[in-house]
């Protein structure tokens, strides 16, 4: 098992290194001034449609202050907006702007095409297994 764990660590390290590089590329596709880690925030906002800052902070496991600063940067770029929460006047609902959605969707389509090309020679079952195992790993890590 030790050798298998070392192999997993090696492959995970290579994946993360590629992921960081890819994050820079995708962030620039969304907006030239976008920080690479902000792509993940945009992905969560795109998935949820609208979400309170405190709920997003919990999902991401980061502090509200840190997240608020990051969201402020995305607002300044015109990618995210804050709307009053209809159930709590003290809170706000975060969502992508139309421009943010358009830019994110275009960058995501390019990313998915890149992934499709990388996996096109794999049998369909292998791709499904890969997605399932990655999800399982991410849920427990």
């Amino acid at each position: 098992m030790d050798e298998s764990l070392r192999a997993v660590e090696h492959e995970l390290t290579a994946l993360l290194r590629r992921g960081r590089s890819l994050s820079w590329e995708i962030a620039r596709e969304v907006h030239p001034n976008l920080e690479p880690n902000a792509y993940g925030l945009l992905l969560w906002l795109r998935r949820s449609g609208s979400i309170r800052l405190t709920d997003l902070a919990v999902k991401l496991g980061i502090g509200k202050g840190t997240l608020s600063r990051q969201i402020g940067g995305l607002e300044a770029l015109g990618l995210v907006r804050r709307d009053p929460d209809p159930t709590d006047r003290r809170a706000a609902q975060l969502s992508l702007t139309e421009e943010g959605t358009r830019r994110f969707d275009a960058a995501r389509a390019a990313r998915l095409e890149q992934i499709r090309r990388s996996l096109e020679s794999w049998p369909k079952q292998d791709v499904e297994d890969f997605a399932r195992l990655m999800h399982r790993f991410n849920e427990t890590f």
Side-chain angles (χ1 to χ4, degrees), residues 53 67-69 71-72 75 80-84 92-95:
L53 186 133
L67 181 58
S68 185
R69 284 187 294 280
I71 293 296
E75 283 181 293
V80 171
R81 71 173 182 263
R82 293 180 202 235
D83 295 314
Q93 291 281 333
L94 304 172
S95 58

Side-chain angles (χ1 to χ4, degrees), residues 41 53-54 56-68 70:
L41 290 176
L53 186 133
T54 52
L56 184 58
V58 168
K59 284 183 184 270
L60 298 174
I62 60 177
K64 289 188 294 186
T66 299
L67 181 58
S68 185
Q70 292 174 342

